[in-house]
Amino acid sequence: LLFNQLVIIRLAKYFYIFLILIFFGYSAYLTYFLYQLWSHNDFSKYYLPPHQSIAYFIQYSFFHFWSHFLAALIFSLLILFLAKYFNNKHDNRYFWPEEPYFLAMAILIVGYPGWLIYFGMILVAPLLFSIFYFLLSKKIERISYYYFWLSLAVGAILINKWLSQFAFWGKLVI
């Protein structure tokens, strides 16, 4: 591997870890802030110890602040390990070495249920690009997903925001 590619691989790994830490910190901050808010409110302080078991607060904060992050994290780690496993098994035929990290970052950023849109876009966008390329050049070439992973994540986030106004999409949210 070239020196520049090794730097990109290392940066992709570090940025993925940085994203995990950002999401973890954000969830922890929201949990702490909620605890402080409830403890200083005359009504909601009764949801906290000594008036109530801490289990209610933990469950509430888990489902409101942690479940989305943890679902996205677990799924992104699963996809990362599967992509790396199959890529190594087939002599790096499917991805450049840093691409599985791009895919995992995109899944982590898009979250759930946004990754449903994201995977649909991953299937459709390169197909449309290939058709368009064929019509213009009359050549069939293999399309690399290298630049699609993160750019399609932005599109999936925008579509996810738009779909969130509909009731059926809200039922998919954890």
Side-chain angles (χ1 to χ4, degrees), residues 93-166:
R93 180 178 172 190
Y94 302 119
F95 305 110
W96 289 97
E98 64 272 16
E99 279 186 88
Y101 292 100
F102 293 163
L103 177 58
M105 279 188 265
I107 291 170
L108 190 62
I109 292 169
V110 170
Y112 178 81
W115 70 58
L116 300 172
I117 298 165
Y118 180 67
F119 281 120
M121 291 175 73
I122 285 175
L123 296 174
V124 172
L127 175 68
L128 294 176
F129 186 81
S130 296
I131 291 170
F132 184 72
Y133 183 78
F134 176 74
L135 293 174
L136 289 178
S137 68
K138 304 294 183 209
K139 290 190 255 180
I140 297 176
E141 291 201 24
R142 185 172 176 221
I143 302 296
S144 172
Y145 281 70
Y146 192 89
Y147 298 104
F148 283 110
W149 298 121
L150 295 174
S151 57
L152 288 177
V154 173
I157 290 170
L158 295 174
I159 292 171
N160 189 25
K161 286 289 185 195
W162 177 72
L163 285 174
S164 67
Q165 66 186 339
F166 299 108

Side-chain angles (χ1 to χ4, degrees), residues 65-79:
F65 307 133
W66 291 90
S67 61
H68 298 87
F69 161 63
L70 292 176
L73 177 64
I74 290 168
F75 193 65
S76 73
L77 286 171
L78 177 70
I79 294 297

Side-chain angles (χ1 to χ4, degrees), residues 6-85:
L6 291 174
V7 170
I8 291 172
I9 295 167
R10 184 168 290 153
L11 284 175
K13 287 179 187 178
Y14 289 149
F15 194 70
Y16 179 63
I17 293 168
F18 178 71
L19 281 175
I20 292 170
L21 294 175
I22 290 290
F23 281 109
F24 181 85
Y26 181 67
S27 297
Y29 169 75
L30 290 175
T31 303
Y32 173 77
F33 185 73
L34 181 69
Y35 187 88
Q36 292 300 317
L37 185 71
W38 282 10
S39 67
H40 292 94
N41 184 293
D42 290 334
F43 176 73
S44 60
K45 69 181 179 184
Y46 292 106
Y47 289 118
L48 298 173
H51 307 287
Q52 181 88 295
S53 168
I54 194 70
Y56 176 76
F57 176 76
I58 291 171
Q59 179 184 10
Y60 183 90
S61 60
F62 175 79
F63 283 109
H64 283 83
F65 307 133
W66 291 90
S67 61
H68 298 87
F69 161 63
L70 292 176
L73 177 64
I74 290 168
F75 193 65
S76 73
L77 286 171
L78 177 70
I79 294 297
L80 175 66
F81 290 124
L82 287 175
K84 288 178 73 172
Y85 172 76

